[in-house]
Amino acid sequence: MSSDFETYEQDFGTLTADITNKIGRIPKLGGDEKKQMVVNVEKQFEEAKELMEQMDLEVREIPVQSRGMYNSRLKSYKQELEKLEKDFKRSRIAYSDEVRNDLLGDDGNSSESQRAHLLDNTERLERSSQRLEAGYQIAVETEQIGQEILENLHHDREKIQRSRDRLRETDANLGKSSRILTGMLRRIIQNRILMFVLGAIILFTIVLAIYFSVRRH
């Protein structure tokens, strides 16, 4: 199993060495020759990634007690490939002095003017980057403020909901108390009417008794 891993290692080493050599040659090329070299290197990167995948599969098949060493080697290969990709990106936009002179001409003033233009563009990019960073910071602060406002609104909503529930409970209690007081008032009125009727009956009875007593005499 480890022999397969070592075979992939050898192929990976040979391939990355060729990629490194071509990356160093790219800035010295121009036109179609450079484009062809870039395409070639891109294909080799694809092959290198496939080798990495094969090595990763091989490592997974290795017993756990022996896997640590192979994982370390695989990690170093991944880091090497990432570095090569970064170098490749830089080499694609880089030019050697000869190619730069061919593109810009041999005139020293033109070269100086081009260099000043590049510096000016660099400063503009830095200023734009600073503005973007400031804008991002403002956006983050605005998001934080918005989050705090939403949290405060959520708390206020909970308070309003609790107050509304208490008002509903109080209203229910008041309605119940009102019904009790209405019943008590009704009973009081009924008792007063009953007392008035009883008083009228008693008074009528006394008057009748006095009338018959006088009439007998």
Side-chain angles (χ1 to χ4, degrees), residues 81-169:
L81 191 61
E82 290 175 357
K83 181 180 180 299
L84 282 176
E85 287 180 330
K86 293 179 181 179
D87 293 340
F88 177 55
K89 290 179 180 178
R90 286 194 293 266
S91 71
R92 292 177 63 176
I93 60 175
Y95 294 93
S96 65
D97 292 338
E98 293 81 2
V99 175
R100 187 182 294 108
N101 289 334
D102 291 338
L103 293 174
L104 301 179
D106 295 331
D107 189 356
N109 293 330
S110 177
S111 178
E112 290 296 330
S113 176
Q114 186 69 18
R115 186 177 294 106
H117 181 67
L118 291 174
L119 290 174
D120 184 54
N121 287 339
T122 301
E123 292 177 356
R124 290 181 181 177
L125 287 174
E126 289 179 355
R127 289 194 296 269
S128 298
S129 177
Q130 291 174 356
R131 286 195 294 268
L132 287 173
E133 185 176 355
Y136 174 75
Q137 185 65 30
I138 293 174
V140 171
E141 294 176 356
T142 303
E143 183 180 2
Q144 292 176 349
I145 293 173
Q147 186 66 27
E148 292 176 357
I149 292 174
L150 288 176
E151 291 178 357
N152 292 333
L153 289 175
H154 180 69
H155 293 324
D156 292 340
R157 180 182 178 184
E158 290 180 347
K159 292 179 181 178
I160 292 172
Q161 187 63 37
R162 288 194 296 268
S163 300
R164 185 180 299 171
D165 293 339
R166 285 195 294 269
L167 286 174
R168 288 176 180 174
E169 184 179 356

Side-chain angles (χ1 to χ4, degrees), residues 20-47:
T20 302
N21 180 45
K22 290 179 179 178
I23 288 176
R25 291 166 52 195
I26 287 176
K28 301 177 182 179
L29 304 176
D32 294 337
E33 190 176 4
K34 180 176 181 179
K35 292 180 181 179
Q36 185 61 38
M37 183 67 74
V38 167
V39 172
N40 191 359
V41 173
E42 288 177 345
K43 292 181 179 179
Q44 288 184 311
F45 269 114
E46 293 297 327
E47 294 177 9

Side-chain angles (χ1 to χ4, degrees), residues 49-74:
K49 291 178 181 178
E50 291 178 0
L51 287 173
M52 293 289 298
E53 292 176 358
Q54 292 296 330
M55 285 190 284
D56 186 50
L57 292 175
E58 291 295 329
V59 169
R60 295 181 183 181
E61 297 296 328
I62 296 175
V64 178
Q65 59 271 19
S66 304
R67 194 178 298 172
M69 177 182 65
Y70 291 97
N71 275 327
S72 299
R73 287 155 67 175
L74 183 60

Side-chain angles (χ1 to χ4, degrees), residues 197-208:
V197 172
L198 290 175
I201 293 173
I202 293 172
L203 180 61
F204 181 72
T205 303
I206 293 173
V207 170
L208 286 177

